[in-house]
Amino acid sequence: MQIEHKNELENHARLLVKCPDKPGIVSIVSTFLFKHNANIIESNQYSSDPENGTFFIRIEFHCDNLKDKQTMMENDFEQIARDFDMDYKFFYLNSRQRSAIFCSKELHCLLELLWEWQNGDLETEIALVISNHENARTIVESYGIPFYYLPANKEIRKEVEAEQIKLLEEYQVDLLILARYMQILTPDFVDHFENRIINIHHSFLPAFIGANPYERAHRRGVKLIGATSHYVTNELDEGPIIEQDVERVDHRNDVVTLKKIGRQIERRVLTKAVKWHLENRIIVEGNKTIVFH
Amino acid sequence: MQIEHKNELENHARLLVKCPDKPGIVSIVSTFLFKHNANIIESNQYSSDPENGTFFIRIEFHCDNLKDKQTMMENDFEQIARDFDMDYKFFYLNSRQRSAIFCSKELHCLLELLWEWQNGDLETEIALVISNHENARTIVESYGIPFYYLPANKEIRKEVEAEQIKLLEEYQVDLLILARYMQILTPDFVDHFENRIINIHHSFLPAFIGANPYERAHRRGVKLIGATSHYVTNELDEGPIIEQDVERVDHRNDVVTLKKIGRQIERRVLTKAVKWHLENRIIVEGNKTIVFH
Amino acid sequence: MQIEHKNELENHARLLVKCPDKPGIVSIVSTFLFKHNANIIESNQYSSDPENGTFFIRIEFHCDNLKDKQTMMENDFEQIARDFDMDYKFFYLNSRQRSAIFCSKELHCLLELLWEWQNGDLETEIALVISNHENARTIVESYGIPFYYLPANKEIRKEVEAEQIKLLEEYQVDLLILARYMQILTPDFVDHFENRIINIHHSFLPAFIGANPYERAHRRGVKLIGATSHYVTNELDEGPIIEQDVERVDHRNDVVTLKKIGRQIERRVLTKAVKWHLENRIIVEGNKTIVFH
Amino acid sequence: MQIEHKNELENHARLLVKCPDKPGIVSIVSTFLFKHNANIIESNQYSSDPENGTFFIRIEFHCDNLKDKQTMMENDFEQIARDFDMDYKFFYLNSRQRSAIFCSKELHCLLELLWEWQNGDLETEIALVISNHENARTIVESYGIPFYYLPANKEIRKEVEAEQIKLLEEYQVDLLILARYMQILTPDFVDHFENRIINIHHSFLPAFIGANPYERAHRRGVKLIGATSHYVTNELDEGPIIEQDVERVDHRNDVVTLKKIGRQIERRVLTKAVKWHLENRIIVEGNKTIVFH
């Protein structure tokens, strides 16, 4: 369901909870919402194991005059959270998350994101785009989005990252999207944005970790190629996987063709992951994701 | 999750509810279960519209000494059901549903069902198999399942159906699976088993309703062929769709090849539908299904 | 394989042949090419039936100094064509086909085509875009492509089509692409461009022929939605199918969501069909297509 | 197309050729066949590079009185093969290839193969089944196929392989199918059957090479699981890939469920690979396969 009217957004929120599984959680949370006159729109839950496992729930709810009540609700929820040892967060749809996109020369993922965003299908403000190439400037600025050209390479990594972080903070960015950004990020940088950097890797991980996956896929003679979107951690291509997809290929496809086919997979896989993140559908648990869709 | 141990099954149940959507349903139902010391294992819900729509929920729960408590629970739930104007049903996993399979000459769907059942992946007793051909007898009887050969055609339909109904009642059948049974059932017969007959149609409905779908798919030159499992109603191939799938074909595939490819689709689509029905994952609403999977 | 260098294109051609199947066709055609120093790059063939069927072949070949030799080759081929009763055509890659795109308000298919074309993945000049709405003008003109706004409706159909045909002739258009153009074309118009108009229909034909397929798919409760690209004939949505694809949907998806999902299918299905047409990979036979890919 | 009548099979053959690419190959081969009154039924070709690449062709042809002519044809072809430096082989459909199946405890791949074979969809005689467990005996023998129980483990590998080879030679086996056979084969064994052992690995290679791929897929949190059929070489899971496929999974699927889903992929991927091998559709080139389908 798409929420379209501004005043609907104002009364719309999501609650994400993670806690040790034990009886009564759904009862207490749903009763809490009911008592605050909140109406559940959508609810998804998952338990890693009903006996001593971890319980996860995502509830999307509507509540008249939410703005006036949200502080009180959060205060009231505190006690429940303590009793059940919950990690939790309320997300309010009246304040949109702010995203930054990093890209390099290849623009298919950037274009797909801009397109979906323009259609109103991504719940975000695109605050800025940063690239180590100039070729995205025209298209980005045509959407009225600030564009920054920051050349990047191994030698000047530290300095560039300092500038990038400055910009991301200045623009108050919540989510960083690596739309085929071809530079490695340092652990320092990654630590600034834990579980808030989404990358697209051009293979079905864990196959072909690292550079040149299409060349290596071609050399290995695989019959499927794929792409993987994941949160960035400090181990290359090892972060929690959000989404993957593949397409069929055959012996006739050279590397150039694999890349063409791959671009179609990459743009749709990255866009899905970003969309789900923005809709608060993803919970990271260890090195895995729970995606409520 | 698969429930494997007999004593786990004994304490395992499902509750399906359908009612007008209004605030508080999840709260009251989950609190009810909590008070009866039932632990929610899995829960899925859907609302056709949070404002004046219809609300559906499927809850799978575990409860120690369920057998002793189930009458009391059902009695206690009566009041809630009245207050919220609920259609509902409790399903207990200690009593397995009983299925009958009807087939004709082509046995791929029957074989797939027997195979999955033998693996323990279908929550059912296969009570009997009825066919208007003899060729399934050996395989069916090798599994220790009663096999009945009842010749069938237009002229003797009424008599045959009377015999079939007699057998289905005698064997206390809950679910009837038409595994490529090539005879039409009369409205009388269908009315006996509302939303309890699952058919596999060899096309992606609503394309190619009726006879010879592969021949017609070939003539039309489609690039995908499919299969559809649905509940049988009295309008041919118009019942609520449970599952569909397709495979890619091309100009080189003659009708014989389409049928071969189609058989692979049919057997997996029918088996999924049957599995979901037996796991009480399907709610029929109007001419559509809600499938919680 | 992509042909990139201008001088390679000059010596590159394709031969498409259709004739009654009988022994010796491949021998005579390949020997003809060999004698003219043409090197076969790719060859695909199909026979509807080796006994009294129809034989189809597509050969892509390279030949030094093709420009100087092509008249002679065509003359020499005449005799073979007569002997084997062939329908045939040589296509030379040095002269690109010219395309027109018709669109209405929804631009996703147009944008995908422009994008692929800009990447060099469509072998065509986009000669002009015609729309019955103004909203595509900015983007189309930003690519340097002429844009014509021609309002259209039932009452003025004849006059509008006359103008459209005038423009298509003026721009010497070989292929007309209907990229979600929401007006019906008259038989007169269609006859002008036999097997040269490609449409995208937003359902997996033959399901949901005609208007509002997503609404009808939603009402029917299908579990897959699709799109179909086909050549336009004078029977609505009944022309030869070129490509189809589907995506999985479920009970939670309302019509708005189906349309969103559908747009992703439509744009990739239409683009594939256009690409194959431009690469001379499609032979229309009766109401079906042979696609050599 | 399926060849059904015995006397059709007698006059049916396939020619597979691999040679350095240069102009005139198709011409000379097709003219050769035409002169011997052979009618081409199906033809597929591929060139790794029209300039100095390798050329591959598979031709399926029909020829009256083939039995009387085949020695002469082969002799006549010798000269062409020398001129073009060809690797080639004629395959005659009147002599069916003989297959052996090795399996262990899990029988889903074996059952699928038996089923397809019984339907007439595998061009082979299943000469024998060898297992290191007894549980397949009943089903195998019910088809009239000899079953051998040969216990196997690391300690007795050499002796067991000696017995296996003896049996495979005694039964004149052309193709060995590893249908989830859970023992490693020694290099000596593998060398006996170069490009004639087909294995099914339960992951989308090169991901999860080696043991316990489903456990590792679960741990990594992938969103797709797959299976790969490949020819066995002496590097574990590194042989030429024939076919791969995947299915979508999510966070709710435990390892047991992944294995269930995986079994469906494994059986269809292995069966396709075996079918293509038997139809002489596969050419191994280096560590990759060309599959003409």
Side-chain angles (χ1 to χ4, degrees):
Chain A
M1 205 196 51
Q2 207 184 5
I3 305 127
E4 280 176 27
H5 304 296
K6 181 75 190 163
N7 64 336
E8 291 229 9
L9 283 177
E10 276 183 1
N11 294 321
H12 214 95
R14 292 166 192 145
L15 170 60
L16 264 73
V17 172
K18 166 178 156 181
C19 63
D21 198 0
K22 64 178 188 180
I25 306 170
V26 179
S27 168
I28 201 126
V29 173
S30 57
T31 303
F32 164 85
L33 289 169
F34 178 57
K35 284 188 178 155
H36 287 82
N37 292 311
N39 195 9
I40 297 175
I41 304 293
E42 189 184 331
S43 173
N44 293 279
Q45 62 190 78
Y46 166 68
S47 174
S48 65
D49 187 346
E51 309 248 352
N52 302 315
T54 304
F55 179 82
F56 306 84
I57 192 163
R58 174 192 185 272
I59 298 179
E60 192 156 329
F61 62 90
H62 181 272
C63 187
D64 286 339
N65 305 315
L66 183 57
K67 243 179 172 164
D68 304 338
K69 294 159 70 179
Q70 71 189 53
T71 315
M72 192 185 66
M73 280 182 80
E74 294 212 24
N75 288 341
D76 287 3
F77 198 74
E78 261 302 299
Q79 186 57 48
I80 294 173
R82 260 195 305 274
D83 291 350
F84 284 82
D85 198 12
M86 288 177 175
D87 261 5
Y88 75 99
K89 190 161 185 191
F90 284 86
F91 298 87
Y92 301 97
L93 274 73
N94 54 8
S95 76
R96 297 207 133 197
Q97 292 183 59
R98 297 172 60 78
S99 302
I101 302 174
F102 280 17
C103 63
S104 292
K105 252 184 175 164
E106 290 208 68
L107 304 184
H108 54 286
C109 287
L110 172 70
L111 290 174
E112 186 78 11
L113 290 166
L114 291 174
W115 183 346
E116 289 288 303
W117 169 76
Q118 192 188 27
N119 285 342
D121 289 336
L122 295 184
E123 290 183 6
T124 192
E125 299 307 323
I126 299 183
L128 76 164
V129 173
I130 299 178
S131 177
N132 56 333
H133 292 272
E134 273 286 10
N135 64 330
R137 181 182 293 279
T138 316
I139 181 77
V140 170
E141 293 184 344
S142 81
Y143 283 101
I145 298 167
F147 175 86
Y148 291 86
Y149 166 59
L150 294 185
N153 62 53
K154 242 177 171 176
E155 280 65 43
I156 55 170
R157 186 150 296 155
K158 284 273 164 201
E159 296 82 337
V160 173
E161 287 194 350
E163 268 191 90
Q164 289 169 337
I165 289 174
K166 217 184 107 205
L167 280 166
L168 295 176
E169 286 173 348
E170 191 184 316
Y171 281 94
Q172 296 176 286
V173 163
D174 301 296
L175 172 66
L176 171 53
I177 305 162
L178 305 183
R180 292 299 307 273
Y181 181 63
M182 304 307 281
Q183 298 288 319
I184 284 174
L185 301 172
T186 67
D188 265 13
F189 187 99
V190 172
D191 289 344
H192 261 80
F193 301 95
E194 205 198 346
N195 293 339
R196 293 193 295 139
I197 312 177
I198 296 180
N199 184 42
I200 179 75
H201 183 71
H202 35 319
S203 80
F204 51 92
L205 290 174
F208 309 121
I209 288 173
N212 301 320
Y214 292 125
E215 281 79 358
R216 288 152 66 205
H218 186 255
R219 215 146 53 225
R220 181 61 186 92
V222 295
K223 301 298 187 186
L224 296 170
I225 59 167
T228 305
S229 57
H230 63 95
Y231 288 109
V232 175
T233 61
N234 281 318
E235 288 183 72
L236 182 64
D237 299 330
E238 294 282 9
I241 292 171
I242 304 167
E243 173 65 348
Q244 306 188 280
D245 207 353
V246 294
E247 290 278 342
R248 199 158 279 283
V249 297
D250 69 31
H251 61 270
R252 296 171 303 177
N253 304 128
D254 58 14
V255 174
V256 170
T257 305
L258 294 190
K259 286 181 180 173
K260 268 183 214 301
I261 296 169
R263 281 202 287 266
Q264 306 285 344
I265 317 174
E266 293 163 29
R267 59 184 185 147
R268 70 172 183 257
V269 167
L270 177 60
T271 305
K272 275 188 184 173
V274 167
K275 196 169 172 348
W276 294 336
H277 177 95
L278 293 167
E279 294 174 359
N280 313 114
R281 297 189 173 280
I282 311 175
I283 301 176
V284 176
E285 172 66 355
N287 202 43
K288 297 162 77 166
T289 62
I290 289 146
V291 185
F292 287 127
H293 52 98
Chain B
M1 203 194 51
Q2 207 184 5
I3 305 128
E4 280 175 27
H5 305 295
K6 182 76 191 161
N7 64 337
E8 291 229 8
L9 283 177
E10 276 183 2
N11 294 322
H12 214 96
R14 294 167 191 146
L15 169 60
L16 264 72
V17 173
K18 166 178 157 183
C19 64
D21 198 0
K22 65 178 188 179
I25 306 170
V26 179
S27 168
I28 200 124
V29 173
S30 57
T31 303
F32 163 86
L33 289 169
F34 178 57
K35 284 187 178 155
H36 286 80
N37 292 312
N39 195 9
I40 297 176
I41 303 293
E42 189 184 331
S43 172
N44 293 278
Q45 61 189 78
Y46 166 68
S47 174
S48 65
D49 188 346
E51 310 247 352
N52 302 316
T54 304
F55 179 83
F56 306 84
I57 192 164
R58 175 192 185 272
I59 298 178
E60 191 156 331
F61 62 90
H62 181 273
C63 187
D64 286 340
N65 304 315
L66 183 56
K67 244 180 171 163
D68 304 337
K69 294 158 70 179
Q70 70 189 51
T71 314
M72 191 185 67
M73 280 182 80
E74 294 213 23
N75 288 340
D76 287 4
F77 198 72
E78 261 302 301
Q79 186 56 50
I80 295 173
R82 260 196 305 272
D83 292 350
F84 284 82
D85 199 12
M86 289 175 175
D87 261 5
Y88 74 99
K89 189 160 186 194
F90 285 86
F91 297 87
Y92 301 97
L93 274 72
N94 53 10
S95 75
R96 296 207 134 195
Q97 293 183 60
R98 298 172 59 77
S99 302
I101 303 174
F102 280 17
C103 63
S104 293
K105 251 185 176 165
E106 291 208 68
L107 304 185
H108 53 287
C109 287
L110 172 71
L111 290 174
E112 185 78 12
L113 290 166
L114 291 174
W115 183 346
E116 289 288 304
W117 169 76
Q118 191 189 27
N119 285 342
D121 290 336
L122 295 184
E123 289 183 7
T124 192
E125 300 305 323
I126 300 182
L128 77 165
V129 173
I130 300 178
S131 177
N132 56 333
H133 292 272
E134 275 285 11
N135 63 330
R137 181 183 294 278
T138 316
I139 182 77
V140 170
E141 293 184 344
S142 81
Y143 283 99
I145 299 168
F147 175 86
Y148 291 86
Y149 165 58
L150 295 183
N153 61 53
K154 241 180 172 174
E155 279 65 43
I156 55 169
R157 185 149 296 155
K158 284 273 164 203
E159 297 82 338
V160 173
E161 287 194 350
E163 270 191 88
Q164 289 170 337
I165 289 173
K166 218 184 107 206
L167 279 167
L168 296 176
E169 286 173 348
E170 190 184 316
Y171 281 93
Q172 297 176 285
V173 163
D174 301 296
L175 171 68
L176 171 53
I177 306 162
L178 306 183
R180 294 298 307 274
Y181 181 63
M182 304 308 280
Q183 298 288 320
I184 284 173
L185 302 172
T186 67
D188 264 13
F189 186 99
V190 171
D191 289 343
H192 261 79
F193 301 96
E194 205 199 346
N195 293 339
R196 294 193 294 139
I197 311 177
I198 296 180
N199 184 42
I200 180 75
H201 183 72
H202 35 319
S203 80
F204 52 91
L205 291 175
F208 309 120
I209 288 172
N212 301 320
Y214 292 124
E215 281 79 357
R216 289 152 66 203
H218 186 255
R219 215 147 54 225
R220 182 61 187 92
V222 294
K223 301 298 186 187
L224 296 170
I225 58 167
T228 305
S229 57
H230 63 95
Y231 288 109
V232 175
T233 62
N234 281 318
E235 288 183 72
L236 183 64
D237 299 331
E238 294 283 9
I241 292 171
I242 304 168
E243 173 66 347
Q244 304 189 280
D245 206 354
V246 295
E247 290 277 343
R248 200 157 278 282
V249 297
D250 69 31
H251 61 270
R252 296 171 302 178
N253 304 127
D254 57 15
V255 173
V256 170
T257 306
L258 294 190
K259 285 180 180 174
K260 268 183 214 299
I261 296 169
R263 282 202 286 264
Q264 306 285 344
I265 317 173
E266 292 162 29
R267 59 184 184 147
R268 70 172 183 256
V269 167
L270 177 60
T271 305
K272 277 188 184 172
V274 167
K275 196 169 170 350
W276 294 336
H277 177 95
L278 293 168
E279 294 174 359
N280 314 114
R281 297 190 174 280
I282 311 175
I283 301 176
V284 176
E285 173 66 355
N287 203 43
K288 297 161 75 167
T289 61
I290 289 146
V291 185
F292 289 126
H293 52 98
Chain C
M1 204 195 52
Q2 206 184 6
I3 305 127
E4 280 175 28
H5 305 295
K6 181 76 191 161
N7 65 336
E8 290 228 9
L9 282 178
E10 276 183 2
N11 293 322
H12 214 94
R14 293 166 191 146
L15 169 60
L16 264 73
V17 172
K18 167 179 156 181
C19 63
D21 198 0
K22 64 178 189 180
I25 305 171
V26 178
S27 167
I28 199 125
V29 173
S30 57
T31 304
F32 164 85
L33 289 170
F34 179 56
K35 284 187 178 156
H36 287 82
N37 293 312
N39 194 11
I40 297 175
I41 304 292
E42 189 184 330
S43 172
N44 293 279
Q45 61 190 76
Y46 166 68
S47 174
S48 64
D49 188 345
E51 309 249 351
N52 302 315
T54 304
F55 179 83
F56 306 84
I57 192 164
R58 176 191 184 272
I59 299 178
E60 192 156 330
F61 62 90
H62 182 273
C63 188
D64 286 340
N65 305 315
L66 183 58
K67 242 182 172 161
D68 304 337
K69 294 159 69 178
Q70 70 188 52
T71 315
M72 192 184 65
M73 280 182 80
E74 293 214 24
N75 287 341
D76 287 4
F77 198 74
E78 261 302 300
Q79 186 56 48
I80 294 173
R82 260 196 305 273
D83 291 352
F84 284 82
D85 198 12
M86 288 175 176
D87 262 5
Y88 75 98
K89 190 161 185 191
F90 285 86
F91 298 87
Y92 301 97
L93 274 74
N94 53 9
S95 76
R96 297 207 134 196
Q97 292 183 60
R98 297 172 61 77
S99 301
I101 302 174
F102 281 16
C103 63
S104 293
K105 252 184 176 164
E106 290 209 68
L107 303 184
H108 54 286
C109 287
L110 172 70
L111 290 174
E112 185 79 11
L113 289 166
L114 291 174
W115 181 347
E116 289 287 304
W117 169 76
Q118 191 188 27
N119 284 342
D121 289 336
L122 294 184
E123 292 182 4
T124 192
E125 299 306 323
I126 299 183
L128 77 163
V129 173
I130 300 178
S131 177
N132 56 333
H133 292 273
E134 273 286 9
N135 64 330
R137 181 182 294 279
T138 316
I139 182 77
V140 170
E141 292 184 345
S142 81
Y143 283 100
I145 299 167
F147 176 85
Y148 291 87
Y149 166 58
L150 295 185
N153 62 54
K154 241 178 171 176
E155 280 65 43
I156 55 169
R157 185 150 294 156
K158 284 273 164 201
E159 296 82 337
V160 173
E161 287 194 349
E163 268 191 89
Q164 289 169 336
I165 290 174
K166 217 185 107 205
L167 279 167
L168 296 176
E169 285 174 348
E170 191 184 315
Y171 280 93
Q172 296 176 285
V173 164
D174 300 297
L175 172 67
L176 171 54
I177 306 162
L178 306 183
R180 293 297 309 271
Y181 181 62
M182 304 308 279
Q183 297 289 319
I184 284 174
L185 302 171
T186 67
D188 265 12
F189 187 100
V190 172
D191 290 344
H192 260 80
F193 301 96
E194 204 199 348
N195 293 340
R196 293 192 295 139
I197 311 178
I198 296 180
N199 185 41
I200 180 74
H201 183 71
H202 36 319
S203 81
F204 51 91
L205 290 174
F208 308 121
I209 288 172
N212 301 321
Y214 292 125
E215 282 79 357
R216 289 151 67 205
H218 186 255
R219 215 147 52 226
R220 181 62 187 92
V222 294
K223 301 297 186 185
L224 296 170
I225 59 166
T228 305
S229 57
H230 62 95
Y231 288 110
V232 175
T233 61
N234 281 318
E235 288 182 72
L236 182 64
D237 299 330
E238 293 283 8
I241 292 172
I242 303 168
E243 173 66 348
Q244 305 188 282
D245 207 353
V246 294
E247 290 278 342
R248 199 158 279 281
V249 297
D250 69 31
H251 60 270
R252 297 171 302 177
N253 304 128
D254 58 14
V255 174
V256 170
T257 305
L258 294 190
K259 285 180 180 174
K260 268 184 214 300
I261 296 170
R263 283 203 285 266
Q264 306 285 343
I265 318 173
E266 292 163 29
R267 59 185 184 145
R268 71 172 183 257
V269 167
L270 177 60
T271 304
K272 275 188 184 173
V274 167
K275 197 169 172 345
W276 295 336
H277 177 95
L278 293 167
E279 294 174 359
N280 314 115
R281 296 189 174 280
I282 311 174
I283 300 176
V284 176
E285 173 67 355
N287 203 44
K288 296 161 77 166
T289 62
I290 289 146
V291 184
F292 288 127
H293 53 97
Chain D
M1 203 195 51
Q2 208 185 5
I3 305 128
E4 281 175 26
H5 304 296
K6 181 76 191 163
N7 63 338
E8 290 229 8
L9 283 178
E10 276 183 1
N11 294 322
H12 214 95
R14 293 165 191 146
L15 170 60
L16 264 73
V17 173
K18 167 178 156 182
C19 63
D21 198 0
K22 65 177 189 181
I25 306 170
V26 178
S27 168
I28 199 121
V29 173
S30 57
T31 303
F32 163 86
L33 289 170
F34 178 56
K35 284 187 177 154
H36 287 80
N37 293 312
N39 195 10
I40 298 175
I41 304 292
E42 190 184 331
S43 172
N44 293 279
Q45 62 189 77
Y46 167 68
S47 174
S48 65
D49 188 344
E51 309 249 350
N52 302 315
T54 304
F55 179 83
F56 306 83
I57 192 164
R58 176 193 185 271
I59 299 178
E60 192 156 330
F61 62 90
H62 182 273
C63 188
D64 286 340
N65 304 315
L66 183 58
K67 242 180 173 164
D68 304 338
K69 293 159 70 179
Q70 70 189 52
T71 315
M72 192 184 67
M73 281 182 80
E74 294 213 24
N75 287 341
D76 288 3
F77 198 73
E78 260 302 301
Q79 186 57 49
I80 294 172
R82 261 195 305 272
D83 292 351
F84 284 82
D85 198 12
M86 289 175 175
D87 262 5
Y88 75 98
K89 190 161 185 191
F90 285 86
F91 297 87
Y92 301 97
L93 274 72
N94 52 10
S95 75
R96 297 206 135 196
Q97 292 183 60
R98 297 172 61 77
S99 301
I101 303 174
F102 280 17
C103 63
S104 293
K105 251 184 177 164
E106 291 209 67
L107 304 185
H108 53 286
C109 287
L110 171 72
L111 290 174
E112 186 79 10
L113 289 166
L114 291 174
W115 181 347
E116 289 287 304
W117 169 76
Q118 191 188 27
N119 284 341
D121 289 336
L122 295 184
E123 290 182 6
T124 192
E125 300 305 323
I126 300 182
L128 77 164
V129 173
I130 300 178
S131 178
N132 56 333
H133 292 273
E134 274 286 8
N135 63 330
R137 181 183 295 278
T138 316
I139 181 77
V140 170
E141 292 183 344
S142 81
Y143 284 100
I145 299 167
F147 175 86
Y148 291 86
Y149 166 58
L150 295 184
N153 61 53
K154 241 180 171 172
E155 280 64 44
I156 54 169
R157 185 149 296 154
K158 284 274 163 201
E159 297 81 339
V160 173
E161 288 194 350
E163 270 191 87
Q164 288 169 337
I165 290 174
K166 217 185 107 205
L167 279 167
L168 296 176
E169 285 174 349
E170 191 184 315
Y171 280 93
Q172 296 176 286
V173 163
D174 301 296
L175 171 67
L176 170 55
I177 306 163
L178 305 182
R180 294 300 307 274
Y181 181 62
M182 303 309 279
Q183 297 289 319
I184 284 173
L185 301 172
T186 67
D188 265 12
F189 187 100
V190 172
D191 289 344
H192 260 79
F193 301 96
E194 204 198 345
N195 293 339
R196 294 193 295 140
I197 311 178
I198 296 180
N199 185 41
I200 179 75
H201 183 72
H202 36 318
S203 81
F204 50 92
L205 291 174
F208 308 120
I209 288 172
N212 301 320
Y214 292 125
E215 281 80 357
R216 289 152 66 204
H218 186 256
R219 215 147 53 226
R220 181 62 186 92
V222 294
K223 301 298 186 186
L224 296 170
I225 58 166
T228 305
S229 57
H230 62 95
Y231 287 109
V232 175
T233 61
N234 281 318
E235 288 183 71
L236 183 65
D237 298 331
E238 294 284 8
I241 292 172
I242 303 168
E243 173 66 346
Q244 304 188 282
D245 207 354
V246 295
E247 290 278 342
R248 199 157 280 282
V249 297
D250 69 31
H251 60 270
R252 298 172 301 178
N253 303 128
D254 57 15
V255 173
V256 170
T257 306
L258 294 190
K259 285 180 181 174
K260 269 185 214 297
I261 296 170
R263 282 203 286 265
Q264 306 285 343
I265 318 173
E266 293 163 28
R267 58 185 185 147
R268 70 172 183 257
V269 166
L270 177 61
T271 305
K272 276 188 183 172
V274 167
K275 197 170 170 350
W276 295 336
H277 177 95
L278 293 167
E279 294 174 0
N280 314 114
R281 297 189 173 279
I282 311 175
I283 301 176
V284 176
E285 173 67 355
N287 202 43
K288 296 161 76 167
T289 61
I290 289 145
V291 184
F292 289 127
H293 51 99

